[in-house]
Every structure is written in C-alpha cells, then in structure tokens.
C-alpha cells in the first residue's frame, strides 16, 4: 500500500548532514526556518520534546488507503525509548491545550490528541494519532485509518512488509551509503494519485499518459539525496 517513502538521516554529526545544513543555510529552506515552522505548527520545542529520544532516522510515507488510491501521510521517527517518547507526546498535547488519550487497536496502543492550528480558527484543528511499531513512533495528522493499516500489517504474516520486499531492498542496496536521504517510489500503488496530491500535473489530461509508459517499465524507483560541494 506504500506509494512513496522518504527516509532522512538525523545523525547531526554525519558529514552529509553537516554539509546539507550549510547548503540549506544559503536558501530560504534553512534548517532553522524549517524547524521553526514545525515548532509553530505542532506547538512543541524540538530540542526539549524530540531530541532527547530521537534516533538516527525520521521520515514520511504516503500510504494508499482509499479506493481511488489517494494516499494518506504518516510520519515515522526512530525512538531510543518508548517511555520518554510517550512523555513527550503528553507534553505536546498539553502545549496544544488538550490531554492525550489512549485506545487499544489490534493489541497495540494508539495515542490521540487535538492538534491546534495556529490562529483563531478552530475549524482548522486536527486530531493527531500516534503508535509504536518496532523501534519507531508512527504519527498521522487527521487519519487514524492509516495507523490501523500499519498496525494490521505488523500482525499479518501473509503480507510482505515494504522493508522486506525485494524491489525495496534492491533500491536500497544500490543507493549511496553516505546520503542525506533516501526516496522510494512504488509505481504499483497509484502514482498518479501521489503526483496529484503534490500538485504535479494536477488536473491535467496528460498525467496518465506521462506516467503509464514509465510505470510499465519500472515497478519502483529509488533515489538518494546527497549534499555535494
């Protein structure tokens, strides 16, 4: 069901990350500006609420759960300790003037709280949902269904997980080891819906004709982001 995945290296001492930060500092997408936007949107302090437990990988995945293939976004963060991470989730909920609540799904805990949109319009608020899968915190804004799907996949022994699929491993094995990020695109999972979500050829009749030949030749593609001189 995964349409695409972006995995980012968060090892602050890694030479690639250091170089990437230097390059981004010369643009309007500097690390400081990006982090400030995240802190404002989530009402959190990255240094206080995230860094103490964050591992060396974060990322985002687009999961096709609708009949038309429209993807839902889920974020994942490697955690060094679940209890510390849960404490941080409770702090973020408190910062959003709410309390975190728990429910059980498929024998796993799902944590939810209201995520306030900056400003006075409360209709723009969203529910946030989080759970744990192996060493990762998975997190979605506004879509509990995508959390259910991932938790279902963990207990479905007949379904091969993305990380175990040959095409994913091949793409990963062929990518550069020293990288800022790794991108995987699955052309078997409604690529046109993925591109439309991000405004690529949105509403264009050329979309399917442009994608179709490529998707027939390649079932997937892996890309790396490298910070170069």
């Amino acid at each position: 069901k995964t349409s695409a995945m972006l995995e980012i290296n968060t090892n602050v001492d890694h030479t690639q990350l250091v170089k990437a930060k230097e390059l981004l500092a010369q643009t309007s997408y500097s690390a400081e500006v990006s982090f400030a936007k995240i802190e404002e949107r989530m009402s959190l302090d990255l240094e206080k609420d995230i860094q103490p437990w964050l591992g060396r990988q974060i990322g985002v995945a687009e999961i096709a759960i609708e009949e038309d293939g429209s993807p839902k976004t889920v974020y994942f963060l490697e955690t060094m300790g679940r209890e510390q991470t849960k404490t941080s989730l409770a702090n973020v909920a408190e910062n959003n003037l709410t309390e975190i609540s728990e429910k059980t799904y498929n024998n796993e805990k799902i944590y939810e709280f209201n995520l306030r949109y900056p400003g006075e319009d409360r209709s723009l608020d969203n529910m946030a949902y989080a759970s744990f899968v192996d060493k990762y915190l998975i997190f979605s804004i506004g879509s509990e269904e995508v959390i259910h799907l991932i938790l279902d996949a963990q207990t479905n022994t007949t379904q091969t997980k993305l990380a175990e699929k040959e095409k994913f491993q091949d793409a990963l094995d062929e990518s550069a080891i020293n990288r800022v990020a790794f991108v995987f695109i699955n052309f078997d999972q409604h690529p046109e819906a993925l591109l439309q979500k991000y405004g690529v050829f949105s509403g264009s009749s050329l979309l399917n004709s442009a994608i179709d030949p490529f998707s027939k030749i390649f079932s997937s593609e892996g890309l790396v982001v490298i910070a170069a001189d």
Side-chain angles (χ1 to χ4, degrees), residues 178-198:
N178 291 319
R179 58 181 182 262
V180 176
F182 171 70
V183 181
F184 179 79
I185 302 174
N186 186 0
F187 292 112
D188 292 333
Q189 293 295 333
H190 307 280
E192 68 286 348
L194 175 68
L195 294 178
Q196 285 177 345
K197 177 175 181 176
Y198 288 95

Side-chain angles (χ1 to χ4, degrees), residues 27-39:
T27 73
S28 58
Y29 300 99
S30 68
E32 288 75 14
V33 171
S34 299
F35 292 160
K37 289 181 178 179
I38 294 173
E39 290 183 329

Side-chain angles (χ1 to χ4, degrees), residues 7 57 76-79 131-138:
E7 181 184 84
Q57 290 180 335
F76 57 91
L77 302 87
E78 183 181 9
T79 173
S131 188
F132 291 98
V133 173
D134 298 328
K135 61 180 180 179
Y136 292 97
L137 170 73
I138 58 173

Side-chain angles (χ1 to χ4, degrees), residues 60-118:
V60 58
E62 294 291 347
I63 312 293
I65 66 173
E66 305 290 346
E67 290 186 5
D68 63 357
S70 298
K72 298 292 186 180
T73 305
V74 63
Y75 305 91
F76 57 91
L77 302 87
E78 183 181 9
T79 173
M80 305 297 287
R82 289 193 177 192
E83 292 305 316
Q84 194 172 14
T85 303
K86 286 192 287 186
T87 299
S88 291
L89 285 176
N91 290 339
V92 173
E94 184 177 350
N95 293 344
N96 281 271
L97 307 180
T98 187
E99 293 184 354
I100 197 166
S101 61
E102 298 181 12
K103 63 174 68 173
T104 300
Y105 177 83
N106 210 0
N107 295 320
E108 296 289 344
K109 292 286 188 182
I110 294 180
Y111 308 91
E112 62 179 42
F113 60 90
N114 186 51
L115 186 64
R116 289 171 62 89
Y117 190 84

Side-chain angles (χ1 to χ4, degrees), residues 149-215:
L149 185 68
I150 294 172
L151 293 178
D152 284 340
Q154 298 306 304
T155 57
N156 188 345
T157 57
T158 64
Q159 182 176 333
T160 304
K161 300 177 180 65
L162 176 65
E164 299 171 351
K165 290 187 175 181
E166 183 178 358
K167 60 183 180 182
F168 178 83
Q169 283 298 326
D170 288 345
L172 193 60
D173 291 343
E174 293 175 6
S175 66
I177 296 176
N178 291 319
R179 58 181 182 262
V180 176
F182 171 70
V183 181
F184 179 79
I185 302 174
N186 186 0
F187 292 112
D188 292 333
Q189 293 295 333
H190 307 280
E192 68 286 348
L194 175 68
L195 294 178
Q196 285 177 345
K197 177 175 181 176
Y198 288 95
V200 181
F201 296 134
S202 181
S204 171
S205 60
L206 296 176
L207 179 61
N208 289 333
S209 60
I211 296 173
D212 189 58
F214 192 78
S215 60

